[in-house]
């Protein structure tokens, strides 16, 4: 088993809040926490989750990042979850085609990282429900849209993998 060092979390000008909408799989919830802590992020907001932060599978998958589950904030609406945000970023694998996509260009993760490097304030990075993603109304609440550079033949990533790629 890997050793963990007792070191402080990395510091940045911005606070990154991972926002999960309608998460239903406890294993994904735990894996998201693990990916977040792997990269030094601990702020998690859940909007209408369909699984509990106390679920045994979520706790087992989170491993030593269970403290993120302990401090997760739960909201009944996305607008409440992002109300104190300086920048709201929606994620989607749908890109610029299809009825759920707005007529805005998507940024890639490294472009997003550059945009927020010197930003002061709270950045909400929103991920939609497994199997559905963010709705058009939810995407319209976002200042920026982000997508992963996945293969066009299978562009939709697993929730925890998508979070991991974005926080990296």
């Amino acid at each position: 088993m890997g050793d963990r060092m007792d070191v402080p979390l990395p510091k940045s000008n911005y606070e990154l809040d991972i926002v999960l909408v309608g998460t239903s799989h406890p294993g994904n919830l735990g894996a998201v926490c693990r990916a977040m802590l792997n990269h030094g992020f601990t702020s998690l907001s859940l909007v209408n989750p369909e699984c509990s932060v106390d679920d045994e599978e979520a706790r087992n998958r989170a491993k030593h990042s269970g403290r993120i589950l302990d401090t997760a904030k739960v909201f009944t609406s996305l607008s409440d979850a992002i109300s104190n945000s300086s920048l709201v970023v929606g994620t989607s694998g749908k890109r610029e085609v299809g009825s759920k996509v707005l007529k805005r260009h998507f940024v890639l993760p490294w472009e997003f990282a550059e945009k927020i490097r010197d930003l002061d304030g709270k950045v909400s990075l929103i991920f939609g429900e497994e199997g559905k993603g963010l709705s058009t109304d939810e995407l319209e609440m976002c200042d920026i849209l982000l997508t992963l550079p996945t293969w066009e033949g299978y562009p939709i990533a697993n929730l925890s993998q998508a979070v991991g790629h974005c926080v990296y």
Side-chain angles (χ1 to χ4, degrees), residues 2 6 18-19 28 34-35 58 61 66 82 96 105 118 124 127 157 162:
D6 186 21
I18 300 299
V19 181
N28 272 340
R34 190 167 180 170
R61 284 279 180 95
I82 63 174
E96 278 93 5
H105 177 70
D118 296 319
S124 290
F127 296 84

Side-chain angles (χ1 to χ4, degrees), residues 11-116:
K11 295 196 183 290
S12 66
N13 291 335
Y14 60 88
E15 172 197 350
L16 183 66
D17 185 36
I18 300 299
V19 181
L20 306 181
V21 178
T23 304
S24 58
H25 299 293
N28 272 340
L29 178 58
V32 162
C33 294
R34 190 167 180 170
M36 288 172 61
L37 194 57
N38 282 152
H39 297 285
F41 298 103
T42 60
S43 181
L44 177 65
S45 294
L46 304 172
V47 178
N48 294 320
E50 295 181 21
C51 59
S52 170
V53 296
D54 295 321
D55 185 279
E56 183 178 1
E57 185 178 357
R59 293 284 167 171
N60 288 340
R61 284 279 180 95
K63 288 288 198 188
H64 300 284
S65 61
R67 65 182 174 165
I68 296 174
L69 293 171
D70 296 337
T71 59
K73 298 171 284 306
V74 179
F75 297 91
T76 56
S77 73
L78 179 57
S79 59
D80 287 344
I82 63 174
S83 65
N84 295 323
S85 299
S86 302
L87 183 67
V88 178
V89 182
T91 59
S92 180
K94 304 274 191 236
R95 302 202 178 88
E96 278 93 5
V97 295
S99 61
K100 291 179 77 174
V101 178
L102 305 176
K103 293 185 174 23
R104 286 194 266 175
H105 177 70
F106 283 87
V107 298
L108 296 168
W110 52 88
E111 295 168 327
F112 167 62
E114 188 60 35
K115 284 182 181 291
I116 65 170

